[in-house]
Amino acid sequence: MWGASGAAVVVCAITAVLPGAAASAEPAGVARDSGAGVERISVAADGTQSDGDSTGGAITTDGRRIAFTSSAKNFTPGNAAGSDRVYLRDEPSGQLKQVGSYPIGSPVISGDGEYSAYWVLLFRDTKVKLAQWTAGSSIGLNCDALNCSQPSLSGDGRYVANVATIGRPSSSQRIDVWDWQTNTKQELAWFDHTAPSRPSISGDGRFVAYQDGKAKDVFVWDRDHGATSDPIEGPSKEATIVQISEDGSKVVYLSGSDTYVHDVSSGTAQRVPDVKGLAIDPTGNHLLYAPNDTTGPSLVLRDLGAGTDEVVSDQPASAGVDAVSTGGRDVVFVSKADDIVPGDTNGKSDVFVRRFA
């Protein structure tokens, strides 16, 4: 792995250029309740429930927009086969846009909600695509490796961190950060293996947290200093990355049966015992976790400062990174349960948002 002097800057082309971020006009649509409670997000613009499974779920810092995937045939025309599509929903207007097709895994979203990123299978290889709300479409980043995957987006969508896998069969990988507006790329780390090494980028693109999946160490790269930290979990300890907060102040990682919230500035970590951390809010103050004890709630939101908990879901549910808005006000999650909101009769997995007053 390269350290402070190892990062390389490579100029690369992108297959197309999206227009710069632009404020979209407020569309006509179905008004939404912005108060506390739970709302099903994976519905058509007129409120019709999905006729296919919906998964994923990533929310903006202000809770206004949510990205998710769905195999629904009744959301937009042209999906008679019920293949997976990437959607962006604008709240509180209720407008729904299809922005991509055939995703692998869950999409991520920029903090301002203008962009979403996901990865797709292209022949034998995987490539990263960047979707834009205003354009309502996606472009592909011209990955110079055979496979690029597991993207993470900065707050304005300008920087895209991803894993690039090298060789056929795959033998090594690296962590890349693309600045797609200037067509440049930085290579942060090289690994001589293909064990998981997913990156997570801060909102301003300054920090990238990632893991060496073979050594089971988590690192933080600092753009301002061009340097990579020592393993943040310390020596003789295994760790798995969850996410860096949007403001770059905290990194969540798993070690053993516990979750740790690492403070980037002080180098100290807050331990949250016997839980699996799933996401952290943009300020680094609210942790979404799944208790290891499965007899209680499936998802819980902790105020790390106050040490208090709010139940997100009592029913079986799951969530990923980018699932919490600023201040822990909104949490997006997925569940197959049919009694979370009234009128859920589709028998499918749905995407929901829990809003706290």
Side-chain angles (χ1 to χ4, degrees):
M1 185 187 67
W2 295 356
S5 61
V9 179
V10 183
V11 178
C12 299
I14 296 180
T15 56
V17 178
L18 288 172
S24 55
E26 188 68 30
V30 180
R32 303 294 176 186
D33 181 6
S34 60
V38 181
E39 176 191 344
R40 184 164 47 162
I41 292 299
S42 54
V43 295
D46 63 358
T48 303
Q49 63 182 341
S50 169
D51 60 5
D53 287 314
S54 300
T55 59
I59 196 166
T60 54
T61 56
D62 62 3
R64 177 184 175 92
R65 288 178 181 162
I66 295 171
F68 65 96
T69 65
S70 182
S71 61
K73 301 176 183 178
N74 62 330
F75 279 0
T76 53
N79 192 22
S83 58
D84 283 344
R85 300 286 192 260
V86 180
Y87 294 93
L88 283 174
R89 174 173 288 280
D90 183 76
E91 297 285 320
S93 71
Q95 186 180 13
L96 184 71
K97 283 188 179 181
Q98 178 187 317
V99 294
S101 303
Y102 311 111
I104 299 174
S106 302
V108 294
I109 198 167
S110 61
D112 63 6
E114 182 64 15
Y115 298 98
S116 180
Y118 60 100
W119 44 303
V120 300
L121 181 65
L122 184 63
F123 302 109
R124 292 188 294 172
D125 306 320
T126 58
K127 304 297 180 182
V128 172
K129 289 200 169 185
L130 186 66
Q132 187 184 34
W133 168 264
T134 301
S137 60
S138 303
I139 64 167
L141 299 184
N142 189 19
C143 173
D144 57 352
L146 290 178
N147 291 279
C148 284
S149 61
Q150 302 180 81
S152 177
L153 280 179
S154 65
D156 61 1
R158 175 173 177 169
Y159 300 103
V160 185
N162 63 259
V163 176
T165 307
I166 316 300
R168 195 189 305 279
S170 301
S171 58
S172 61
Q173 62 185 327
R174 66 175 187 255
I175 304 295
D176 291 345
V177 175
W178 291 81
D179 179 345
W180 67 268
Q181 292 184 7
T182 61
N183 291 0
T184 58
K185 179 193 68 177
Q186 289 184 284
E187 298 172 354
L188 308 189
W190 281 83
F191 301 110
D192 61 358
H193 59 77
T194 58
S197 57
R198 181 180 62 83
S200 179
I201 194 168
S202 64
D204 60 2
R206 174 181 171 180
F207 296 104
V208 178
Y210 61 91
Q211 70 184 37
D212 179 337
K214 184 177 180 180
K216 297 189 176 177
D217 290 324
V218 175
F219 303 89
V220 177
W221 173 78
D222 184 344
R223 175 189 300 275
D224 284 1
H225 297 95
T228 300
S229 71
D230 292 328
I232 65 173
E233 74 278 4
S236 304
K237 191 176 184 178
E238 295 184 349
T240 302
I241 190 173
V242 176
Q243 183 184 11
I244 192 169
S245 59
E246 176 102 354
D247 66 2
S249 66
K250 305 288 174 56
V251 178
V252 179
Y253 66 88
L254 310 178
S255 185
S257 61
D258 302 329
T259 293
Y260 292 82
V261 182
H262 171 84
D263 187 290
V264 173
S265 178
S266 69
T268 60
Q270 180 178 350
R271 174 174 168 260
V272 185
D274 204 30
V275 305
K276 180 182 180 181
L278 302 172
I280 195 163
D281 90 299
T283 66
N285 293 320
H286 292 80
L287 174 72
L288 178 66
Y289 69 83
N292 291 337
D293 180 0
T294 58
T295 61
S298 62
L299 295 176
V300 177
L301 185 70
R302 171 160 296 185
D303 183 322
L304 294 169
T308 56
D309 288 334
E310 295 265 17
V311 173
V312 175
S313 178
D314 281 318
Q315 302 298 332
S318 61
V321 298
D322 295 344
V324 188
S325 70
T326 299
R329 183 180 181 274
D330 314 289
V331 179
V332 63
F333 63 95
V334 177
S335 179
K336 291 185 177 180
D338 60 5
D339 56 354
I340 294 177
V341 297
D344 187 348
T345 59
N346 63 358
K348 307 293 183 180
S349 64
D350 288 304
V351 179
F352 302 86
V353 61
R354 164 78 69 177
R355 304 194 189 278
F356 295 102

